[in-house]
Every structure is written in C-alpha cells, then in structure tokens.
Amino acid sequence: MCGIVGYIGSEDTKEILLKGLEKLEYRGYDSAGIAVRNEEGVHIFKEKGRIADLRAIVDEDVKSNAGIGHTRWATHGVPSRYNAHPHQNVTNRYTIVHNGVIENDEQLKREYLLDIPLQSDTDTEVIVQLVGLFSKDGLTTEEAFRKTLTLLKGSYALALLDNEDESTIYVAKNKSPLLVGLGEDFNVVASDAMAMLQITDQFVELMDKEMVLVTKNGVTIKNPEGVTVERAPYTAELDAGDIEKGTYPHYMLKEVDEQPFVIRKIAQAYQNDQGELQVDADIVNAVNEADRLYIVACGTSYHAGLVGKQYLEQMANIPVEVHVASEFVYNMPLLSKKPLFIFISQSGETADSRAVLVKIKELGYKALTITNVPGSTLSREADFTLLLHAGPEIAVASTKAYTAQIAVLSILADAAAKSAGIDTGFDLVHELGIVANTMEVLCDGKEEFEQIARDYLSTTRNCFFIGRSVDYYVGLEGALKLKEISYIQAEGFAGGELKHGTIALIEDGTPVIALATQESVNLNIRGNVKEVAARGANTCVISMKGLEQEGDRFVLPAVHELLAPLVAVVPLQLIAYYAALHRDCDVDKPRNLAKSVTVE
Ligand code: F6R
C-alpha cells in the first residue's frame, strides 16, 4: 500500500528518498514520486511503474537538503504519472504526499474548490489545494494546514512542503501509520521504520490528529488544539540486515525457509526460566474470563484464526467465533455477554481490522492483538499484545507470519488451558520442536514441491484444494497463496462440500490438491478424493505419516495432529512459489496487491 518518506538535513536528499522508497517497495504500489526543495524552488519527479522507472527520470544535477517521497497504490484515479504523488496546489507553493483515503473529497471540492482547476483525479489534491486556498486568506502555513485537517473525513498520513519556508516539513496523521525519525543534524518522516533504518533507528510515534513540524534540528508535535506534546523516541528493534534478501532469489523463498527458526524463536520467547511456556497472566485471565472469543482478521491472518479457533476450543474449552474484519465491521453478530476480541494481523496496520477495533473499543470491550510489529496501530490501541517474533516479512504473500500466528495461538490456548486446570495431554514445547525440525526437512526437499508444481500446475487455469477439519483451513490458505502469486484461479473447499455444487467444475485433468493429516476424517477425505478422481481430476494427495495410502503424492513426517497445519502449509507455500516462478510472475510483488492494506 502507499508509502511515505521525508528528509530534512544536510545531505543530498534524492538518494535518501529513493532508497527509502525502495525499502517500501514490498508493500505494493503502482507509481512513485519525489519532491525536493532547494533555493530555486521545489522540483518534482514522478513516474508510473517501479522505483527504477522513477530513478531513471530524476535529474542528478538537482541538489537539495529537504524533500518528500511517495509510493502510490491507486484508490482514486488510475495509476498514472499525473495521479502519482507529490501533488501541488494551483500556485505551486505547496507540495504534498498522502497515504489513506479522504472520504469527503467530493463535498470539499464542491464547497471550496469550484474555481480551482484540478490537475489529478486524486482525493489528495483536494488537501493541498485547501492549504493553498486558506493560506491566501492570510493564514500561516501551520494555521492553513490545521484548518484543512479539521475539514478532512477519512484516513491520512501527510507530509507537506512549503515553497516559501525552507526550514520545515509539515506532517499530520489520522488512522494511517506515520513516524518521525530522529538523527544528528537531520530528521526524517516515514510510514514504516524500515524505510529509514539505514540512517536512524530512533523513532517517535505519532497519534491520530496530531500535527508535527519537522526541521533539521527539531521535531515539534502538536495536539489538535495546537498545544505542544512531549514524546520520547523509541529504538526500532529491527536489524537492517533482516530486510535484505541475501542470496535468495525472492523474499518469499527466504521467509518460507525462515519458518523453522521462527517456530523455535517463538517457543523460546514464550518460555520462562524453568523452560515452561508462559503467557502474560493478564492476557490469560482475560481469555479465561471471557464467555466467548471473537477472532477478527483478514486474508491469511483470518486463515490462521480458523486454526486458532480449533486450538482454543479443543485445548482450553472456550467457544470461539472467527470473523473477516471487513464484514464484521458493518454486520456485527449478536455478541455474547462477556466477549474478548482477538485481532490477528501481521502488520498491525490493516484498516479493516482497525475499524473493528475502534468500534468494539467504543462499545467498551477488551481486545488482544497478535501481531508481528511492536508499536503498530492495532497493538497500541488494544489492551494486550502478543508478538509473533517472526522478523520483518517483506514478500507480499504471507508465509512465516501465518505459521507464527498459529504457533502463538497454540501457546495462548495452552496457557489458557493450564490456568483453567485442563490437561492438554501433550508437551507443547516439545511438539513445537518436532514441528520446527519437520519444517526444516520440508524446506530442504524443495525439489519435490517444484516437481509437483510442474506436474499439476504448469498449464492449468484453475486448481482446487480440499481437506476436512483443520486441513480444510490449511487448504484455504494454500489456495490463497497460489492465486495471489501465480494468478491461477484456486479455491479451497471442505472435502464434503464439493458434491453440493463445486464438483461441477471438475473436468479431465483439473488439479485437486487434497490434505490428509487428520485421523478422524482420513477415510472421509479419501472418499472425496475418489469422487473427484472419478470425474477426471488430477489428484495430488499430501498425507501425514501413519495415515498414508498407496498413490499419495507426498507423505509429511508425523507431527502432533493438532499442529499439522504448521507443517502441511509448507508444501502448499512452496508449490505456489514454484507455480508462480514457472509462469514468470513477480513472486514478491504480485499485481494489484499490497503488503499492508491501510485503506478500508
Ligand atoms: C496474503 C496476505 C494477506 C494478509 C491480509 C491481512 O498472503 O498476506 O491476505 O494476510 O492482508 O494482513 P495483516 O495480517 O497485516 O492484517
């Protein structure tokens, strides 16, 4: 999704901005631009396509010590150079970049901007034109900016340059993430700490509706009433090396391979000095005091939530509902008397999930966020946070965050069970160790999954994933991985549901990937495989040791049945990866998608 960078200091700005934008590329975008300011005024370079395309048109001779930059993921108006940010007001005095969506842009145009010829189709241009308009009425830039902010409905992270004031970048945010980074003789602005990690690890969080004046030697945060607010910086605990690809051809492959390490790290992070798993007592109490848990998430995180429901119900005996955030927010079910909400989000910034969090907080309910990003919006605004410890996930297709989410949910279920005096009957630390070792074996044998991708998916236009119980949930994730990066139409189905309609789509050669890791439904899923095979499907059964049958394409080493999703998903991630590779798709940056979806 859109990204923002800004720099004010003594170095030449262009390269810092371009490098920062490159670090944000993983979030997905369709155009990019920078504005740099020097004594001649503001120079703008913008281009549709990749940062490399932007780099190619930036004039090397323009030197400057202050600037702002942006990667755009189109919401208002097609991806194009004229819709790319930065945008300027009609007199070119002000230049702005914006993340988010202004919901009342049409109304503002009608009310204030009828006489101003707009130069783009964006909601963003409305903001900069308003600042220009109000400053003409004699307001200072700060006053004009503040007046504009009071009129905006929706989400925004903004960085604004004033041609007549070389010393300041004006910054504001509401609902969209934005940070200010601190340096010696310079300060920066970034929608994601990763963008500026090369030059600073000191960041200041901004709160909604705050405005910030960023100069070379100072950062002044003001609340909506204009009163200055003091806030200490924090150290971003990210290693710049964590976000490099190293020798891997793609981030996705690197992140798949990191999964055994992540599972071990999680087990370690949640162990006490005696080697027992432990979760903050306040969180465990909140879980056990609730009469029902509501898991809210999107996409892959939603799929992890489905597996988490199984854990919390089976291990801790707590009823759980799992909801897609974008539906829940506008169609809330009847809630139980004492609900606890669990938000699962890799980025901690997903707007659909945040909209639910805001709503349930208004209703006075408590929330726990399970996220990979400490200090993210969903983490800050919930009562409790559990971290994934997965390290930065850069590829758009989520892999290690999914398995980390499931592992953390299993630890939460285990802790809730123990505190309620329930014996789960197994040692989770030990079982997670076996999972990590098994993942390693799978990652070491990638050729097998490359061959499956070749045999089943090289020419197909569609593919089905079937499973029962938790295998069904893993199938949903396998289908999402495949469709998002290879563009093969892929759907996951409960094995028993196919014959109620979808089986009509099975033709000669249709690939059907079936998971068989659950003993209680092994015979049932085998029956479903026979049903589709009888209608011509090209079936690929991935089973678990002990449940295998002749003809199974791959047999996973045995792990505890409840934890099977953690290993069963690895072949599906790799099959999707190779299918995308064989089709020459851009694995890490699939079309139309963004890593962090910060608009509803
Ligand atoms: C798919 C994928 C998405 C995200 C979804 C939620 O590979 O990554 O489906 O899972 O956009 O994002 P988070 O977890 O950041 O809330």
Short mmCIF file of all heavy atoms in Angstrom, two decimals, residues 173-212:
data_model
loop_
_atom_site.label_atom_id
_atom_site.label_comp_id
_atom_site.label_asym_id
_atom_site.label_seq_id
_atom_site.Cartn_x
_atom_site.Cartn_y
_atom_site.Cartn_z
N LYS A 173 -1.22 13.04 10.84
CA LYS A 173 -1.75 11.68 10.58
C LYS A 173 -3.09 11.47 11.27
O LYS A 173 -3.39 12.05 12.31
CB LYS A 173 -0.75 10.63 11.00
CG LYS A 173 -0.66 10.35 12.47
CD LYS A 173 -0.30 8.89 12.72
CE LYS A 173 -1.43 8.20 13.43
NZ LYS A 173 -1.63 6.85 13.22
N ASN A 174 -3.90 10.63 10.65
CA ASN A 174 -5.13 10.14 11.26
C ASN A 174 -5.43 8.76 10.68
O ASN A 174 -5.64 8.64 9.48
CB ASN A 174 -6.29 11.10 10.97
CG ASN A 174 -7.55 10.66 11.69
OD1 ASN A 174 -7.49 10.28 12.86
ND2 ASN A 174 -8.68 10.68 11.00
N LYS A 175 -5.38 7.76 11.50
CA LYS A 175 -5.69 6.37 11.13
C LYS A 175 -4.65 5.71 10.22
O LYS A 175 -4.64 4.50 10.10
CB LYS A 175 -7.08 6.25 10.49
CG LYS A 175 -8.21 6.63 11.42
CD LYS A 175 -9.49 6.07 10.88
CE LYS A 175 -10.65 6.99 11.09
NZ LYS A 175 -11.84 6.59 10.37
N SER A 176 -3.83 6.46 9.51
CA SER A 176 -2.80 5.84 8.67
C SER A 176 -1.47 5.96 9.41
O SER A 176 -1.20 6.99 10.04
CB SER A 176 -2.69 6.56 7.33
OG SER A 176 -3.84 6.32 6.58
N PRO A 177 -0.61 4.92 9.32
CA PRO A 177 0.63 4.97 10.09
C PRO A 177 1.62 6.03 9.59
O PRO A 177 1.75 6.24 8.39
CB PRO A 177 1.22 3.56 9.91
CG PRO A 177 0.45 2.93 8.81
CD PRO A 177 -0.82 3.67 8.61
N LEU A 178 2.29 6.68 10.53
CA LEU A 178 3.34 7.64 10.19
C LEU A 178 4.26 7.84 11.40
O LEU A 178 3.78 7.95 12.52
CB LEU A 178 2.74 9.00 9.78
CG LEU A 178 3.68 9.92 9.02
CD1 LEU A 178 4.15 9.31 7.71
CD2 LEU A 178 3.03 11.27 8.72
N LEU A 179 5.55 7.85 11.14
CA LEU A 179 6.54 8.01 12.21
C LEU A 179 7.48 9.15 11.86
O LEU A 179 7.67 9.45 10.68
CB LEU A 179 7.41 6.74 12.31
CG LEU A 179 6.71 5.42 12.62
CD1 LEU A 179 7.67 4.27 12.33
CD2 LEU A 179 6.26 5.40 14.07
N VAL A 180 8.07 9.75 12.89
CA VAL A 180 9.14 10.70 12.66
C VAL A 180 10.42 10.05 13.17
O VAL A 180 10.43 9.47 14.26
CB VAL A 180 8.86 12.02 13.41
CG1 VAL A 180 10.06 12.93 13.33
CG2 VAL A 180 7.64 12.71 12.82
N GLY A 181 11.49 10.09 12.38
CA GLY A 181 12.76 9.50 12.78
C GLY A 181 13.75 10.60 13.12
O GLY A 181 13.75 11.67 12.48
N LEU A 182 14.58 10.36 14.15
CA LEU A 182 15.49 11.41 14.62
C LEU A 182 16.94 11.08 14.29
O LEU A 182 17.38 9.94 14.43
CB LEU A 182 15.37 11.53 16.15
CG LEU A 182 13.94 11.66 16.70
CD1 LEU A 182 13.98 11.79 18.21
CD2 LEU A 182 13.21 12.85 16.08
N GLY A 183 17.68 12.11 13.85
CA GLY A 183 19.10 11.90 13.57
C GLY A 183 19.90 13.10 14.04
O GLY A 183 19.34 14.07 14.57
N GLU A 184 21.22 13.03 13.85
CA GLU A 184 22.08 14.18 14.20
C GLU A 184 22.13 15.10 13.01
O GLU A 184 22.61 14.71 11.95
CB GLU A 184 23.48 13.69 14.53
CG GLU A 184 23.51 13.08 15.87
CD GLU A 184 24.75 13.42 16.67
OE1 GLU A 184 25.68 14.05 16.15
OE2 GLU A 184 24.74 13.02 17.84
N ASP A 185 21.60 16.28 13.17
CA ASP A 185 21.57 17.26 12.08
C ASP A 185 20.62 16.89 10.96
O ASP A 185 20.75 17.38 9.84
CB ASP A 185 22.98 17.45 11.49
CG ASP A 185 23.60 18.71 12.05
OD1 ASP A 185 22.91 19.40 12.82
OD2 ASP A 185 24.76 18.98 11.71
N PHE A 186 19.73 15.98 11.22
CA PHE A 186 18.68 15.69 10.26
C PHE A 186 17.50 15.04 10.98
O PHE A 186 17.67 14.50 12.08
CB PHE A 186 19.15 14.77 9.11
CG PHE A 186 19.41 13.34 9.55
CD1 PHE A 186 18.38 12.40 9.54
CD2 PHE A 186 20.67 12.95 9.95
CE1 PHE A 186 18.62 11.09 9.94
CE2 PHE A 186 20.91 11.64 10.35
CZ PHE A 186 19.89 10.71 10.35
N ASN A 187 16.35 15.10 10.38
CA ASN A 187 15.19 14.35 10.86
C ASN A 187 14.45 13.80 9.65
O ASN A 187 14.59 14.32 8.54
CB ASN A 187 14.28 15.24 11.72
CG ASN A 187 14.90 15.50 13.08
OD1 ASN A 187 15.29 14.58 13.78
ND2 ASN A 187 15.04 16.78 13.43
N VAL A 188 13.69 12.73 9.87
CA VAL A 188 13.03 12.08 8.74
C VAL A 188 11.58 11.78 9.08
O VAL A 188 11.17 11.81 10.24
CB VAL A 188 13.74 10.76 8.34
CG1 VAL A 188 15.15 11.03 7.87
CG2 VAL A 188 13.74 9.75 9.47
N VAL A 189 10.84 11.46 8.03
CA VAL A 189 9.44 11.07 8.16
C VAL A 189 9.30 9.76 7.40
O VAL A 189 9.91 9.60 6.33
CB VAL A 189 8.53 12.12 7.48
CG1 VAL A 189 7.07 11.74 7.62
CG2 VAL A 189 8.78 13.50 8.06
N ALA A 190 8.54 8.81 7.94
CA ALA A 190 8.37 7.54 7.23
C ALA A 190 7.08 6.87 7.66
O ALA A 190 6.71 6.93 8.84
CB ALA A 190 9.55 6.62 7.51
N SER A 191 6.43 6.24 6.71
CA SER A 191 5.21 5.50 7.06
C SER A 191 5.58 4.14 7.66
O SER A 191 4.72 3.45 8.18
CB SER A 191 4.32 5.32 5.83
OG SER A 191 5.07 4.77 4.78
N ASP A 192 6.84 3.76 7.58
CA ASP A 192 7.29 2.47 8.08
C ASP A 192 8.77 2.64 8.44
O ASP A 192 9.56 3.13 7.62
CB ASP A 192 7.13 1.45 6.93
CG ASP A 192 7.50 0.04 7.32
OD1 ASP A 192 8.37 -0.13 8.19
OD2 ASP A 192 6.93 -0.90 6.73
N ALA A 193 9.13 2.25 9.68
CA ALA A 193 10.51 2.48 10.14
C ALA A 193 11.53 1.89 9.17
O ALA A 193 12.64 2.42 9.01
CB ALA A 193 10.68 1.85 11.53
N MET A 194 11.15 0.80 8.50
CA MET A 194 12.10 0.13 7.59
C MET A 194 12.67 1.09 6.56
O MET A 194 13.80 0.95 6.13
CB MET A 194 11.37 -0.97 6.82
CG MET A 194 11.34 -2.27 7.56
SD MET A 194 10.78 -3.51 6.42
CE MET A 194 9.91 -4.56 7.53
N ALA A 195 11.88 2.08 6.14
CA ALA A 195 12.29 2.98 5.07
C ALA A 195 13.52 3.79 5.46
O ALA A 195 14.31 4.17 4.60
CB ALA A 195 11.14 3.92 4.70
N MET A 196 13.69 4.07 6.74
CA MET A 196 14.76 4.97 7.17
C MET A 196 15.77 4.30 8.09
O MET A 196 16.64 4.96 8.64
CB MET A 196 14.13 6.20 7.85
CG MET A 196 13.44 7.11 6.87
SD MET A 196 14.64 7.80 5.69
CE MET A 196 13.56 8.54 4.47
N LEU A 197 15.64 3.00 8.23
CA LEU A 197 16.50 2.25 9.13
C LEU A 197 17.98 2.38 8.77
O LEU A 197 18.85 2.23 9.63
CB LEU A 197 16.09 0.78 9.08
CG LEU A 197 16.19 0.00 10.36
CD1 LEU A 197 15.46 0.69 11.49
CD2 LEU A 197 15.62 -1.39 10.14
N GLN A 198 18.25 2.67 7.52
CA GLN A 198 19.65 2.82 7.09
C GLN A 198 20.31 4.01 7.75
O GLN A 198 21.52 4.04 7.92
CB GLN A 198 19.73 3.02 5.56
CG GLN A 198 19.06 1.95 4.74
CD GLN A 198 19.75 0.59 4.88
OE1 GLN A 198 20.91 0.51 5.24
NE2 GLN A 198 19.01 -0.48 4.63
N ILE A 199 19.48 5.04 8.13
CA ILE A 199 20.12 6.23 8.69
C ILE A 199 19.73 6.52 10.14
O ILE A 199 20.39 7.30 10.81
CB ILE A 199 19.88 7.49 7.81
CG1 ILE A 199 18.39 7.70 7.52
CG2 ILE A 199 20.64 7.40 6.52
CD1 ILE A 199 18.12 9.01 6.78
N THR A 200 18.67 5.91 10.64
CA THR A 200 18.36 6.07 12.06
C THR A 200 17.53 4.89 12.58
O THR A 200 16.78 4.28 11.81
CB THR A 200 17.60 7.38 12.35
OG1 THR A 200 17.41 7.49 13.77
CG2 THR A 200 16.23 7.43 11.69
N ASP A 201 17.70 4.61 13.89
CA ASP A 201 16.80 3.62 14.50
C ASP A 201 16.00 4.28 15.62
O ASP A 201 15.35 3.60 16.40
CB ASP A 201 17.58 2.40 15.02
CG ASP A 201 18.57 2.75 16.12
OD1 ASP A 201 18.72 3.96 16.43
OD2 ASP A 201 19.19 1.83 16.68
N GLN A 202 16.06 5.63 15.70
CA GLN A 202 15.31 6.36 16.73
C GLN A 202 14.04 6.95 16.11
O GLN A 202 14.12 7.78 15.20
CB GLN A 202 16.17 7.50 17.30
CG GLN A 202 17.40 7.02 18.03
CD GLN A 202 17.03 6.15 19.23
OE1 GLN A 202 16.30 6.57 20.12
NE2 GLN A 202 17.52 4.90 19.23
N PHE A 203 12.91 6.52 16.62
CA PHE A 203 11.64 6.98 16.03
C PHE A 203 10.69 7.49 17.10
O PHE A 203 10.74 7.05 18.26
CB PHE A 203 10.96 5.84 15.26
CG PHE A 203 11.68 5.48 13.99
CD1 PHE A 203 12.68 4.52 13.99
CD2 PHE A 203 11.40 6.14 12.81
CE1 PHE A 203 13.37 4.20 12.84
CE2 PHE A 203 12.09 5.84 11.64
CZ PHE A 203 13.08 4.86 11.65
N VAL A 204 9.84 8.41 16.69
CA VAL A 204 8.79 8.92 17.58
C VAL A 204 7.45 8.54 16.96
O VAL A 204 7.22 8.78 15.77
CB VAL A 204 8.87 10.46 17.70
CG1 VAL A 204 7.77 10.97 18.63
CG2 VAL A 204 10.23 10.87 18.22
N GLU A 205 6.60 7.93 17.78
CA GLU A 205 5.26 7.56 17.31
C GLU A 205 4.39 8.80 17.24
O GLU A 205 4.49 9.67 18.10
CB GLU A 205 4.60 6.65 18.35
CG GLU A 205 4.90 5.21 18.20
CD GLU A 205 4.25 4.44 19.33
OE1 GLU A 205 3.19 4.85 19.83
OE2 GLU A 205 4.83 3.42 19.71
N LEU A 206 3.53 8.84 16.26
CA LEU A 206 2.56 9.95 16.20
C LEU A 206 1.17 9.39 16.48
O LEU A 206 0.87 8.25 16.13
CB LEU A 206 2.59 10.59 14.81
CG LEU A 206 3.97 11.09 14.36
CD1 LEU A 206 3.85 11.77 13.00
CD2 LEU A 206 4.56 12.04 15.38
N MET A 207 0.36 10.19 17.12
CA MET A 207 -1.02 9.79 17.42
C MET A 207 -1.97 10.44 16.42
O MET A 207 -1.65 11.47 15.81
CB MET A 207 -1.42 10.23 18.83
CG MET A 207 -0.52 9.69 19.91
SD MET A 207 -0.61 7.90 19.96
CE MET A 207 0.96 7.48 20.70
N ASP A 208 -3.16 9.84 16.31
CA ASP A 208 -4.14 10.38 15.38
C ASP A 208 -4.44 11.84 15.68
O ASP A 208 -4.51 12.25 16.84
CB ASP A 208 -5.44 9.57 15.48
CG ASP A 208 -5.30 8.24 14.74
OD1 ASP A 208 -4.27 8.05 14.07
OD2 ASP A 208 -6.21 7.41 14.84
N LYS A 209 -4.61 12.60 14.61
CA LYS A 209 -4.99 14.03 14.65
C LYS A 209 -3.85 14.94 15.12
O LYS A 209 -4.06 16.14 15.30
CB LYS A 209 -6.23 14.25 15.55
CG LYS A 209 -7.43 13.40 15.14
CD LYS A 209 -8.44 14.24 14.41
CE LYS A 209 -9.46 13.41 13.68
NZ LYS A 209 -10.64 13.10 14.36
N GLU A 210 -2.66 14.40 15.35
CA GLU A 210 -1.55 15.28 15.71
C GLU A 210 -0.95 15.90 14.44
O GLU A 210 -1.03 15.32 13.36
CB GLU A 210 -0.45 14.49 16.45
CG GLU A 210 -0.85 14.16 17.87
CD GLU A 210 0.21 13.36 18.63
OE1 GLU A 210 1.09 12.74 17.99
OE2 GLU A 210 0.11 13.33 19.86
N MET A 211 -0.34 17.09 14.66
CA MET A 211 0.40 17.72 13.57
C MET A 211 1.84 17.90 14.05
O MET A 211 2.06 18.19 15.23
CB MET A 211 -0.21 19.09 13.25
CG MET A 211 0.42 19.74 12.07
SD MET A 211 0.34 21.49 12.21
CE MET A 211 -1.22 21.79 11.46
N VAL A 212 2.79 17.73 13.16
CA VAL A 212 4.19 17.79 13.58
C VAL A 212 4.95 18.72 12.65
O VAL A 212 4.78 18.66 11.42
CB VAL A 212 4.83 16.38 13.54
CG1 VAL A 212 6.18 16.41 14.23
CG2 VAL A 212 3.94 15.36 14.19
#
